[in-house]
Amino acid sequence: MTRIGLRTTTAAMGAALMLVTGCSSESDGTKLQTIDPATAVVSPATTSSLDGVVHPYSGRIDSITFDPVTRNVLLVSQDPPAVRIVAADEVESAGPAAAGRDISIDGNIRDVSIASDGNALLSMDSQVVKLNLTSGEQTSFASPDPANSAVELPDGRIAIGTERGTVHVVDPSSDKSQTISGLASVDELAVTGDNLSALDHRQTSLTDINLDEDRLGAALRAGEGATHLVTDHFGRILVTDTTGDELLVFTADSLILRQRFPVGDSPYAVAYDETADRVWVSLTGTNEVVGLDLSSGIPVETNRFNTVRQPNSLAVDSSTGTLVVGSATGDGVQVIPTRNG
């Protein structure tokens, strides 16, 4: 496979360090210098034979999330609104259109993350819904502003990132909450150990959230237009710079940009295989997904697969290495095995 040149950098070399000290009494971040959030480029028509198996699916797919506890795949579509839970084995064999169960959710889903004990967190316009992927039971947590993202913290609290640039933390076991402001928007959140970090699309930045001191910590510029992130079991935060065509590798303690790695045209969705220590990135500019081996500490390209058109969503089953790719143009769900044997 082709090896793409690596650029290794530190905060001083590759990103502007921004010392941010927001707190709950500050403004909502509307006076900050911002850019238009990056989006996936419109994919061309597919011209090559596709890898793996493509299953038909009605409507566009906006997100795919895999839960390793229940071994379920959660598919979310907005047009028309639909949420479906499918066992991973059934996704591979019959396809999600022929298997699984639909879940009724009241509202628009902006983001999905996996919580503990077989639950998922669905970020919505005015709430976050904790969905049990086995029983379908739902528990709601109110959000003071439209929720762009949500994660479960190690102590069981829920951190909610809002479109008004605040991080709202709620404790399900009590009425206690806290709000930290100062960002333009909180579009994705990452938990690495005891660290909480926020990705801000409008500032294309990654910021440390200091919950103990109720304030924002240090922040780094995240490329030219960052869109998605995933964490790995080494505590790294892997971010797609969609505008800059790169994968960015951060550590949160302390917040440092460790690596910048060019991956191709418009990297967007990202997933991490912890067994193989491999990150997968979808490229909407070329209808591809690229695999990068991180085991040596330096990303090395291992695979490129041809995908369905507009591969805006991506998940991986770390127990098998199987990729699940979703088309945002209604071209179906693609299942790609990545390991031999």
Side-chain angles (χ1 to χ4, degrees):
M1 305 302 294
T2 303
R3 178 178 296 187
I4 301 177
L6 173 70
R7 295 205 297 267
T8 302
T9 184
T10 64
M13 295 167 56
L17 176 62
M18 304 176 291
L19 297 179
V20 184
T21 56
C23 64
S24 58
S25 62
E26 292 188 347
S27 69
D28 59 11
T30 55
K31 296 182 180 180
L32 299 173
Q33 291 186 342
T34 61
I35 63 171
D36 291 333
T39 58
V41 300
V42 177
S43 297
T46 56
T47 58
S48 303
S49 59
L50 305 186
D51 291 290
V53 177
V54 178
H55 298 287
Y57 194 77
S58 177
R60 57 175 286 176
I61 299 173
D62 292 286
S63 75
I64 298 178
T65 312
F66 176 76
D67 173 42
V69 174
T70 63
R71 287 190 48 76
N72 280 317
V73 176
L74 180 65
L75 298 98
V76 173
S77 302
Q78 302 293 6
D79 186 20
V83 177
R84 174 161 287 208
I85 300 173
V86 192
D89 294 341
E90 293 179 326
V91 171
E92 296 181 29
S93 58
R101 66 189 190 278
D102 293 321
I103 302 295
S104 177
I105 301 290
D106 185 18
N108 175 58
I109 298 174
R110 296 172 173 231
D111 188 60
V112 179
S113 70
I114 293 300
S116 60
D117 302 325
N119 292 286
L121 298 177
L122 313 181
S123 301
M124 305 174 69
D125 290 341
S126 61
Q127 63 180 335
V128 170
V129 172
K130 187 175 185 180
L131 172 65
N132 187 289
L133 298 178
T134 300
S135 66
E137 180 182 358
Q138 300 178 30
T139 305
S140 297
F141 304 97
S143 176
D145 296 300
N148 285 343
S149 56
V151 291
E152 185 179 66
L153 301 176
D155 60 7
R157 291 182 297 166
I158 306 297
I160 302 170
T162 77
E163 71 173 17
R164 289 176 62 85
T166 64
V167 177
H168 184 63
V169 182
V170 297
D171 187 345
S173 64
S174 69
D175 294 330
K176 295 181 179 180
S177 66
Q178 68 181 120
T179 300
I180 299 170
S181 63
L183 296 173
S185 61
V186 181
D187 301 286
E188 295 203 13
L189 290 164
V191 177
T192 50
D194 294 327
N195 301 296
L196 177 65
S197 305
L199 184 66
D200 183 334
H201 288 174
R202 293 172 59 202
Q203 294 190 94
T204 191
S205 64
L206 188 68
T207 301
D208 173 60
I209 308 299
N210 191 323
L211 296 177
D212 291 337
E213 298 182 12
D214 209 34
R215 63 176 178 85
L216 300 182
L220 290 177
R221 189 71 62 196
E224 299 174 38
T227 53
H228 292 296
L229 62 76
V230 70
T231 61
D232 68 13
H233 59 277
F234 295 108
R236 296 173 294 197
I237 304 172
L238 314 171
V239 179
T240 49
D241 178 9
T242 300
T243 303
D245 296 337
E246 291 183 320
L247 176 71
L248 310 177
V249 182
F250 294 87
T251 53
D253 189 17
S254 302
L255 185 62
I256 297 174
L257 174 59
R258 297 289 182 179
Q259 296 166 348
R260 299 170 58 191
F261 190 78
V263 291
D265 191 354
S266 191
Y268 193 66
V270 59
Y272 176 69
D273 182 344
E274 65 177 20
T275 301
D277 192 16
R278 188 167 299 170
V279 61
W280 293 95
V281 179
S282 72
L283 306 175
T284 64
T286 53
N287 295 320
E288 292 179 304
V289 61
V290 58
L292 302 168
D293 183 357
L294 301 181
S295 61
S296 67
I298 299 175
V300 176
E301 183 177 328
T302 60
N303 306 87
R304 276 186 188 247
F305 297 116
N306 296 320
T307 70
V308 290
R309 185 181 179 189
Q310 206 67 51
N312 284 16
S313 55
L314 174 68
V316 63
D317 179 351
S318 290
S319 65
T320 65
T322 300
L323 291 175
V324 184
V325 184
S327 168
T329 53
D331 289 0
V333 175
Q334 184 176 9
V335 180
I336 306 174
T338 66
R339 299 178 194 161
N340 296 325

